Structures are given as structure tokens and as C-alpha cells.
């Protein structure tokens, strides 16, 4: 392997009978990135994910993980190195939250006290109070709680790679957004390589380092969210992005602090916005308050700059 | 607050009242051969006792008209009292009508005695759900009932009961038959579990086998038990005649061998079917995530599939066991040891009490097996979903 690509697919195909679920896929996923797969139902996203941890085998092609050809690896050992979380959670209904989260560490033969410490740590990380949840059974959890536990289980043995198949699907928008924020927060601490499948373009744009758009088992475009928005390769990607809302979608990826102007001598505008907010939020505030000028402040409310409406139209300052 | 009458209790109480007033309570026989003479409540127990029973039943019916929480407690108490007084009433009956100079005289239970027993049991079932801690009260009542009966049997006060007379002249045979019955059922259960789990495992792996295997097992199930016992006689006799080893094991055309084979054949269907249904019923995503976590095939099976399937598998074992207990009684016809021997002897001799001596323990065994496996299943279910 040439360099640090954590996962590399080379010409990977998978047939089910005469259906080609994955068709000559080639792809590099770098260490520490969140690679999001998106595409229409049945385009082969889940199949690709399952190929990575050898839940199914390739019909042809090679998959390399961390410098090793997965064909040469024992599938059980490979899977214990990769966290796996799925939409329906697949939590073991006969085990408590504690036992569910501890399953991979137990398979790896960790001592009990280390498992216990890890379970505490993970429940805290995912904002599930230890005492409340540790002895609950999956049937006693809400959908969002169950998906958190599913994510905690995937993280348990501290794998370098996380495979997540619509882990936040089937959740209401508010819970979903909270979990997305949590994932980003966690990722900023743990720097895993995450392969994430979703149906939701906003989720993809918000989470991804790079997005893989798939159609009929092939890659249509593999790009950063910005590039995807700015240069969709064809009408399929344009449709996926939602024609009428592209401007807003891009604005939601851009941050106010990158567009603000220095504080002038004139007095501060009365309306304020936080520097980390998105341009979309700034625009919304302007539209709502019928204001054309905002004051940009940091979290401690210290003024950093101003944001006139004309600044939103500039290309990003570097 | 007005409440609906409890129709179940009302009906049961009135029915019991009707039978008690019209039917005989027990009958007296001078010996095993002569026909017995039936005596009603009044003639058998005298008017004070009769009044007690009638008032008790009327009270039950009255309370059932306007039930409240408290009245349900009273009803349960009355039902318990009606049950517990039965052995005492019988002892009283025996005292009144059998003298010590009649060593062969016996007392048979008649319609109103039986109906009080059964209706009392049904009342307990109905009332147990309606009273706080009903199950514990019912347990207490049953313990008292058995305790009182046991005491009275121990003192010899109930010795002239026909059932006990039959037992005491055959007590060693009784225990042999119990042993024979249990070992046949146990053997068949063990063998069919081993074979059944294996078969289930196999046909889950090799899907095309599923149809023919179930067809075969269903076919066994449709052969009447007597016919299957009969069909096995000829081949087993032949095999036994040609193999000294089989002769040493006492494998012959009749006896335990054909019975065991037939029992296994009948037991396989419930075991295999429930095991298959149970294992297939484990959610696919749970199995996928078990594999995705890096469990080996064996770990997925023992840690995930089996525990999740266990309640349904145990249910299959429960059905199998109860079925085998009944079939073993029939197997007495081809010489297999079991309580069926008493039943068929009794039928042959026209001695109904001997039939009862075989039938009652068979029923008790089936009830015990039912209770045992039901609680096992609910224990396993509690482990699955809380
Ligand atoms: N085990 C299987 N056996 C047969 N066909 C399969 C199997 N798994 C997937 N397929 C087929 O492969 C294709 C891709 O399926 P896949 O599950 O990867 O889609 P997906 O992109 O995850 O879709 P969705 O968004 O609906 O989850 C589909 O046509 C599906 O029917
Ligand atoms: Mg999918």
C-alpha cells in the first residue's frame, strides 16, 4: 500500500444471483475521515458496508484495510477490530445495556473491571446516565436511546474503524440532529475512520469529510460536501441535492466567522450571532428580523466582527 | 358502586348445588364384586353436614351476584372450605357406614363428591385471578387439602376408600409401574430431544430437506398410536429373533422397545417444529449484528439464537412430555410397563376403581409435567424480554 488509506476498495463487485449489488467499485477512505455513502434504496450501500467486515464476500476485486488484504484475514478477528452499528440496532434483547455494550470486549477477553470501566465511559460519552441505563433491557429503551446504545456497542473495543448503516434512521429530526452533533463531538475526540450510510442528504452534508454518491452499485461522485454542492457531476447528483435548496444547503456548511468583516468604527449592530453558526442561520435571522447587518460574537459574547448581508454573497475568504 | 355478577362462579355454584342435591355422594360395597349402594348427601352424611355444604354453595352463588374485592376473598375462602372438607366428609361417611368387622367393604366416590372436587378446582382457577395474592391463597388451600387427606389416609380413616383398597393390594406394583412409566417417558424425551435438535439443526442448514422431513414427521403423527405399536411388533420380533444382543437387552416385539420407538416417533414432530420455528424466529438483524460483532458461528448459536429460542423450544418439550405420558398409558397394551396396566386390567375386570388407580396418577403426572415446563418456559421468557 502506498500510504495511509485506511480502507481501499479495488474493483470490488458483488453479485446476488443475477443482481449486481456492487459493480466494480474502487474507493479510498483515508484515516480519520467520515466517509458517507448516499444513494437511492437498493443501490448497494449496505452491501458495500457488509463487504468491508466480511459479513459477505466479494465476488471479485480486493479490499484492503489498514494495509492488509481482508481476504487473508480471519473474519471474526477483523470484525472485532471494526465497530458495526445498524439502523434496527440489532441489540441483543436478552441482554442488559451493560452486556450489550460489553460484547466485543468480552469476546476479546478483557478483564471484567476493564469492561465495566469502559461501559461507564461510553454511557457517559453518549449522554446516557449510567445508573439509569446500565441494567435496562433493549425493550425498555426509546428508539433514540437504543440507537445510542448501538453506537456505544460499536465503539466499545475502541476500534479504528466504525461502520454505521443508517444508525440514526427511523428517528425524529430533533433526536437525529442531537445524535449527529454527538457523533461529530465524539469524532473530534476519537478520530476514528467512519464509514456511514444514510438516505438523508442533509445528514450526509453535515457529517461527511467526503461523500460517496452511489447509483446501481456504482460510484457516481466521490467528493467533499462543498465540491458536491458546487460541482455536481450530473443530474442524478443534482436531484439528490434537491435543486431548489442548493444555496441553502451550501450556506449551512459555511460558517459565519469565515465571512465576517472586521469591526468598524461605527457602533455595534443590535442583533448578534455566534461566530460558529452557519451562514444559513445568519440568513434566517436576517430574513426573520428584516435586518441587513449582524454583530458576530464569540461564545463569551465578545464582539469579533460584523456581518452585512452583502458579505453572504462573497466567495469564502481564506 | 354496582358490579356485574360473576357468571362463572354463579353458574359453577348452582351447578354444584344441583348435582349435590340430586346425585349420590358416595357408595358402599360389601366387597369388590357386589354392586354398590349409592347414598346421597342426606343419607350419607346426615343433615347437619348437608346443610353446611348447601349453605356454602348458596353463599357462593349469593356473593357472586354482587362481587366486590372483599367478597371475592370470601368466595375463595368458601371454595377452599368446600374442597378441604371433602376428605373429612369422606372419613365421616366411612365412619357412619362401614364397621371394622367388614374388612372387604369399600366406599366408592359418586357423582356429587366428584363434582364438588372438580367444580371446586374450577372455582379456584377462576377466583385466583380476582383476589390479591390469589395464587398464594390457592397454593395454601391445595397444601391444606393434601395435608388433611394425607393425615386421614395416615390414620387409616380413609382406608376403606375403593381406590385405596385397590392400591393397598397392589402397592408394590404401583411403584413399579410409576418407575416404568417415568423411565419410558424420560427415555423417549431424552432421545427425541437429541434426535430432534439434530434434525432441526440439519434442516435449517439444508433447506430442501425441510419439506420431506416435516412430511415424514407429520405422517408419524397421523398414525393412530395403537396401529403404530402394532406395526412395530413384527419387525422387532424378527430382529430380536436374529440377534442375541437384542435378546439380552430384552428387546422384543412387545415390551418397552416398540413403545419407546413409537414414543420417539410421535415426539419428534413437536420438538423439531418448535425448534425450527423458534430458531427461525430470531430476528435477522440480531443475528447479523452478532456476527458483525465478531462472534463465531457457535457463539452466535449458543449466546444469541438458543437463549432467544429457548421459551418456544421448551414449549415443544412440554407438549412432547404430556403427549408421551398419555401414550405410555396406551403402550401397556403391548406390554410396556406403565399405569396403563391398571387401566386395562381394570377395564377387563370391570373394576372401575382399578381403572382410576391407573388413570388418576397418569393425569397427575401430566399436570405436574405441564406445571414444570410452563414455569421453565416462563423463566426462560423472563430471560429473553423483561
Ligand atoms: N443477501 C442478499 N441476497 C440477495 N440479494 C441481496 C442481498 N442483499 C442485498 N441484495 C440486493 O442487492 C441490492 C443492494 O442492496 P443493499 O442492501 O446494499 O441496498 P441499500 O443501498 O443498502 O438499500 P437501502 O437504502 O434500501 O438500505 C438490492 O437489489 C438487494 O435486493
Ligand atoms: Mg441498506
Amino acid at each position: 500500500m502506498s500510504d495511509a488509506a485506511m480502507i481501499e476498495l479495488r474493483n470490488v463487485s458483488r453479485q446476488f444471483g443475477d443482481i449486481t449489488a456492487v459493480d466494480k467499485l474502487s474507493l479510498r477512505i483515508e484515516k480519520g475521515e467520515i466517509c458517507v455513502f448516499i444513494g437511492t434504496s437498493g443501490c448497494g450501500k449496505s452491501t458495500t458496508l457488509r463487504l468491508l467486515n466480511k459479513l459477505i464476500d466479494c465476488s471479485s476485486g480486493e479490499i484492503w484495510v489498514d494495509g492488509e488484504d481482508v481476504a487473508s484475514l480471519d473474519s471474526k478477528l477483523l470484525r472485532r477490530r471494526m465497530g458495526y452499528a445498524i439502523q434496527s440496532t440489532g441489540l441483543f434483547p436478552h441482554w442488559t445495556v451493560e452486556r450489550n455494550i460489553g460484547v466485543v470486549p468480552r469476546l476479546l477477553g478483557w478483564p471484567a473491571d476493564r469492561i465495566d470501566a469502559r461501559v461507564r465511559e461510553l454511557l457517559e460519552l453518549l449522554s446516557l446516565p449510567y445508573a439509569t441505563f446500565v441494567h435496562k433491557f433493549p425493550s425498555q429503551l426509546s428508539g433514540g436511546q437504543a440507537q445510542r446504545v448501538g453506537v456505544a456497542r460499536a465503539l466499545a473495543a475502541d476500534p479504528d474503524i466504525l461502520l454505521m448503516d443508517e444508525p440514526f434512521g427511523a428517528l425524529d429530526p430533533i433526536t437525529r440532529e442531537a445524535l449527529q452533533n454527538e457523533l461529530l463531538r465524539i469524532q473530534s475526540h476519537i478520530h476514528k475512520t467512519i464509514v456511514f450510510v444514510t438516505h438523508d442528504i442533509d445528514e450526509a452534508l453535515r457529517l461527511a469529510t467526503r461523500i460517496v454518491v452511489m447509483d446501481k452499485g456504482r460510484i457516481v461522485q466521490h467528493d467533499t460536501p462543498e465540491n458536491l454542492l458546487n460541482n455536481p457531476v450530473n443530474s442524478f447528483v443534482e436531484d439528490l441535492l434537491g435543486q431548489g435548496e442548493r444555496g441553502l444547503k451550501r450556506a449551512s456548511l459555511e460558517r459565519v466567522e469565515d465571512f465576517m468583516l472586521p469591526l468598524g468604527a461605527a457602533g455595534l449592530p443590535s442583533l448578534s450571532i455566534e461566530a460558529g453558526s452557519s451562514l444559513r442561520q445568519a440568513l434566517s435571522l436576517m430574513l426573520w428580523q428584516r435586518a441587513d447587518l449582524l454583530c458576530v460574537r464569540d461564545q463569551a459574547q465578545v464582539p469579533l466582527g460584523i456581518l452585512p448581508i452583502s458579505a453572504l454573497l462573497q466567495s469564502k475568504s481564506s | 358502586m354496582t358490579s356485574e355478577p360473576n357468571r362463572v362462579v354463579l353458574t359453577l355454584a348452582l351447578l354444584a348445588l344441583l348435582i349435590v342435591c340430586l346425585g349420590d355422594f358416595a357408595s358402599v360395597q360389601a366387597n369388590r364384586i357386589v354392586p354398590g349402594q349409592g347414598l346421597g348427601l342426606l343419607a350419607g352424611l346426615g343433615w347437619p353436614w348437608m346443610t353446611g355444604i348447601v349453605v356454602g354453595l348458596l353463599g357462593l352463588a349469593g356473593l357472586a351476584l354482587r362481587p366486590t374485592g372483599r367478597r371475592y376473598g370470601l368466595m375463595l375462602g368458601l371454595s377452599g372450605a368446600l374442597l378441604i372438607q371433602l376428605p373429612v366428609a369422606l372419613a365421616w361417611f366411612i365412619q357412619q357406614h362401614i364397621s371394622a368387622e367388614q374388612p372387604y367393604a369399600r366406599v366408592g366416590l359418586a357423582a356429587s363428591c366428584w363434582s364438588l372436587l372438580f367444580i371446586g378446582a374450577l372455582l379456584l382457577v377462576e377466583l385466583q385471578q380476582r383476589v390479591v395474592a390469589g395464587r398464594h391463597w390457592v397454593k395454601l388451600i391445595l397444601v391444606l387439602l393434601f395435608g388433611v387427606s394425607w393425615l386421614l389416609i395416615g390414620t387409616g380413616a380413609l382406608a376403606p376408600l375403593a381406590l385405596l383398597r385397590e392400591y393397598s393390594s397392589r402397592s408394590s406394583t404401583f411403584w413399579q409401574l410409576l418407575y416404568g412409566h417415568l423411565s419410558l417417558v424420560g427415555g423417549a424425551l431424552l432421545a427425541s430431544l437429541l434426535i430432534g435438535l439434530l434434525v432441526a439443526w440439519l434442516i435449517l442448514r439444508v433447506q430442501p430437506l425441510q419439506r420431506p422431513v416435516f412430511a415424514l414427521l407429520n405422517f408419524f403423527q397421523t398414525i393412530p398410536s395403537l396401529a403404530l405399536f402394532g406395526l412395530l411388533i413384527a419387525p422387532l420380533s424378527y430382529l430380536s429373533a436374529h440377534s442375541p444382543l437384542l435378546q439380552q437387552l430384552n428387546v422384543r416385539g412387545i415390551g418397552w422397545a416398540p413403545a419407546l420407538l413409537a414414543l420417539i416417533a410421535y415426539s419428534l414432530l413437536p420438538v423439531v417444529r418448535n425448534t425450527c420455528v423458534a430458531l427461525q424466529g430470531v430476528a435477522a438483524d440480531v443475528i447479523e449484528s452478532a456476527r458483525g460483532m465478531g462472534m463465531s458461528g457457535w457463539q452466535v448459536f449458543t449466546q444469541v439464537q438458543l437463549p432467544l429460542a429457548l421459551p418456544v423450544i421448551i414449549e415443544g418439550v412440554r407438549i412432547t412430555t404430556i403427549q408421551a405420558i398419555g401414550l405410555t398409558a396406551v403402550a401397556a397394551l403391548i406390554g410396556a410397563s406403565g399405569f396403563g396396566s391398571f387401566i386395562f386390567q381394570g377395564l377387563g375386570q370391570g373394576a372401575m376403581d382399578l381403572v382410576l388407580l391407573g388413570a388418576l396418577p397418569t393425569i397427575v403426572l401430566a399436570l405436574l409435567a405441564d406445571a414444570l415446563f410452563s414455569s421453565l418456559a416462563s423463566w426462560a421468557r423472563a430471560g429473553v424480554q423483561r
Side-chain angles (χ1 to χ4, degrees):
Chain A
M1 293 263 314
S2 45
D3 53 46
M6 194 64 176
I7 299 173
E8 185 171 355
L9 289 86
R10 298 181 188 163
N11 246 330
V12 172
S13 298
R14 169 70 208 205
Q15 274 98 26
F16 292 109
D18 37 357
I19 299 174
T20 302
V22 173
D23 192 5
K24 299 202 194 73
L25 213 72
S26 293
L27 177 70
R28 288 168 57 98
I29 300 172
E30 306 298 332
K31 207 175 196 130
E33 79 168 307
I34 302 184
C35 174
V36 177
F37 281 74
I38 191 164
T40 45
S41 187
C43 68
K45 307 181 292 291
S46 301
T47 305
T48 310
L49 216 60
R50 290 193 188 112
L51 288 171
L52 294 181
N53 65 0
K54 285 180 70 171
L55 279 176
I56 49 183
D57 292 319
C58 311
S59 304
S60 65
E62 289 172 11
I63 296 178
W64 291 72
V65 169
D66 207 8
E68 291 174 292
D69 183 352
V70 297
S72 69
L73 298 175
D74 176 77
S75 45
K76 294 190 294 295
L77 299 182
L78 177 74
R79 289 175 200 151
R80 291 174 197 172
R81 286 167 44 194
M82 295 181 161
Y84 187 51
I86 56 181
Q87 170 174 353
S88 53
T89 73
L91 292 180
F92 305 120
H94 56 309
W95 286 352
T96 57
V97 164
E98 179 178 36
R99 196 126 190 243
N100 264 289
I101 296 179
V103 60
V104 183
R106 216 170 317 114
L107 288 173
L108 292 171
W110 289 16
D113 48 346
R114 184 169 166 210
I115 298 179
D116 187 54
R118 183 66 181 151
V119 169
R120 281 174 187 277
E121 191 183 357
L122 283 166
L123 284 175
E124 190 165 319
L125 192 67
L126 285 146
S127 323
L128 296 167
Y130 179 85
T132 320
F133 286 97
V134 73
H135 294 305
K136 286 208 165 161
F137 284 83
S139 60
Q140 300 169 319
L141 301 176
S142 75
Q145 290 162 351
Q147 298 212 322
R148 279 168 214 246
V149 174
V151 172
R153 183 174 67 171
L155 287 169
D158 204 13
D160 294 326
I161 297 175
L162 274 183
L163 308 178
M164 311 181 91
D165 194 343
E166 304 187 42
F168 310 143
L171 287 184
D172 64 278
I174 294 174
T175 315
R176 172 186 281 243
E177 197 176 319
L179 281 175
Q180 288 165 355
N181 286 335
E182 251 159 64
L183 184 69
L184 287 173
R185 179 174 61 80
I186 294 170
Q187 173 68 353
S188 68
H189 299 304
I190 59 181
H191 307 295
K192 306 286 179 195
T193 304
I194 302 179
V195 187
F196 192 105
V197 169
T198 183
H199 266 124
D200 178 354
I201 184 66
D202 290 310
E203 184 166 76
L205 291 170
R206 168 190 262 262
L207 295 179
T209 317
R210 285 192 296 169
I211 294 177
V212 176
V213 180
M214 282 186 75
D215 185 30
K216 302 194 187 89
R218 292 164 181 271
I219 296 182
V220 180
Q221 188 167 3
H222 180 202
D223 235 326
T224 61
E226 288 83 6
N227 285 344
L228 203 70
L229 280 165
N230 292 333
N231 311 303
V233 292
N234 60 18
S235 59
F236 179 80
V237 181
E238 282 175 7
D239 289 344
L240 194 72
L241 291 168
Q243 289 285 18
E245 302 223 320
R246 266 167 71 189
L248 290 175
K249 290 206 155 94
R250 186 173 67 190
S252 66
L253 294 179
E254 292 166 327
R255 300 196 322 152
V256 164
E257 58 191 345
D258 296 328
F259 288 80
M260 66 185 179
L261 304 179
L263 285 171
L268 290 175
S270 55
L271 282 174
S272 298
I273 188 155
E274 234 179 64
S277 309
S278 70
L279 281 195
R280 183 181 175 139
Q281 285 168 311
L283 182 62
S284 173
L285 186 63
M286 289 174 179
L287 290 172
W288 182 246
Q289 299 289 350
R290 311 231 180 265
D292 58 2
L293 187 63
L294 300 179
C295 173
V296 182
R297 296 172 186 265
D298 69 6
Q299 280 175 337
Q301 298 300 314
V302 179
L304 300 175
I306 54 165
L307 188 72
I309 196 161
S310 59
L312 301 185
L313 309 181
Q314 307 301 311
S315 56
K316 195 165 169 177
S317 56
S318 55
Chain B
M1 196 188 84
T2 57
S3 49
E4 284 281 294
N6 182 319
R7 296 210 163 74
V8 178
V9 175
L10 190 62
T11 316
L12 286 175
L14 292 178
L15 187 67
L17 198 61
L18 191 74
I19 301 176
V20 160
C21 293
L22 297 180
D24 290 341
F25 180 73
S27 66
V28 182
Q29 262 174 300
N31 58 49
R32 192 166 182 239
I33 316 294
V34 299
Q37 188 209 345
L39 297 173
L41 266 194
L42 186 59
L45 296 174
W47 66 265
W49 210 296
M50 169 170 172
T51 317
I53 292 178
V54 169
V55 167
L57 287 171
L58 280 175
L60 258 179
L63 289 171
L65 278 177
R66 286 272 180 82
T68 60
R70 231 154 152 230
R71 290 184 186 170
Y72 272 122
L74 275 176
M75 284 188 244
L76 188 59
L78 271 178
S79 307
L82 277 170
L83 275 172
I84 296 168
Q85 61 85 33
L86 270 181
V88 187
L90 279 170
W92 173 249
F93 181 97
I94 287 165
Q95 243 230 314
Q96 300 295 301
H97 302 280
I98 308 267
S99 64
E101 296 93 66
Q102 302 171 278
Y104 299 111
R106 44 175 64 205
V107 168
L109 309 189
S112 62
C113 191
W114 284 120
S115 64
L116 276 179
L117 193 61
F118 283 116
I119 290 177
L122 290 176
L123 283 169
L124 291 193
V125 171
E126 163 68 17
L127 293 170
Q128 138 178 349
Q129 320 149 15
R130 309 207 175 253
V131 175
V132 188
R135 302 183 105 226
H136 297 291
W137 288 113
V138 167
K139 268 183 208 151
L140 180 69
I141 291 172
L142 291 180
V143 166
L144 281 175
L145 178 61
F146 282 109
V148 169
S149 311
W150 199 255
L151 264 177
L152 290 172
I153 291 173
T155 60
L158 291 176
L161 273 189
L163 200 61
L164 291 178
R165 288 254 198 257
E166 294 291 346
Y167 168 76
S168 62
S169 61
R170 291 181 178 75
S171 60
S172 68
T173 321
F174 181 91
W175 295 105
Q176 273 169 23
L177 292 185
L178 175 66
Y179 174 76
H181 207 114
L182 286 181
S183 25
L184 254 183
V185 170
L189 199 63
L190 215 66
S192 59
L193 261 180
L194 282 179
I195 304 173
L197 292 182
L198 214 67
V199 170
W201 177 81
L202 190 72
I203 62 179
L204 284 178
R205 299 249 137 176
V206 192
Q207 294 287 333
L209 281 179
Q210 233 173 68
R211 279 175 143 267
V213 166
F214 275 117
L216 182 71
L217 296 182
N218 271 314
F219 171 70
F220 284 142
Q221 207 68 195
T222 56
I223 310 177
S225 52
L226 266 179
L228 188 54
F229 290 139
L231 281 176
L232 285 167
I233 293 178
L236 278 174
S237 307
Y238 177 83
L239 283 178
S240 158
H242 290 81
S243 155
L245 176 69
L246 289 181
Q247 276 165 20
Q248 265 191 353
L249 288 172
N250 203 16
V251 171
R252 284 174 297 134
I254 58 171
W256 66 268
L260 186 66
L261 282 181
L263 284 180
I264 294 174
Y266 285 123
S267 302
L268 281 178
L269 182 68
V271 170
V272 173
R273 189 181 45 206
N274 278 51
T275 307
C276 279
V277 167
L279 289 177
Q280 282 170 331
V282 177
D285 64 322
V286 172
I287 294 176
E288 163 162 336
S289 68
R291 293 179 59 220
M293 296 299 130
M295 286 192 192
S296 67
W298 179 248
Q299 285 168 329
V300 174
F301 182 71
T302 55
Q303 299 190 18
V304 180
Q305 283 177 286
L306 203 56
L308 289 175
L310 208 55
V312 182
I313 296 179
I314 292 177
E315 176 63 19
V317 176
R318 186 184 72 89
I319 297 172
T320 302
T321 312
I322 293 172
Q323 178 182 279
I325 288 172
L327 285 172
T328 299
V330 182
L333 281 177
I334 53 162
S337 168
F339 286 123
S341 301
F342 282 160
I343 300 180
F344 294 116
Q345 270 178 43
L347 286 173
Q349 303 170 0
M352 279 309 129
D353 301 312
L354 188 52
V355 174
L356 275 182
L357 189 63
L360 282 182
T362 310
I363 295 172
V364 170
L365 280 185
L367 290 177
L368 285 180
D370 181 53
L372 174 71
F373 286 109
S374 297
S375 53
L376 262 183
S378 64
W379 165 81
R381 210 167 289 123
V384 171
Q385 18 147 280
R386 238 158 285 200

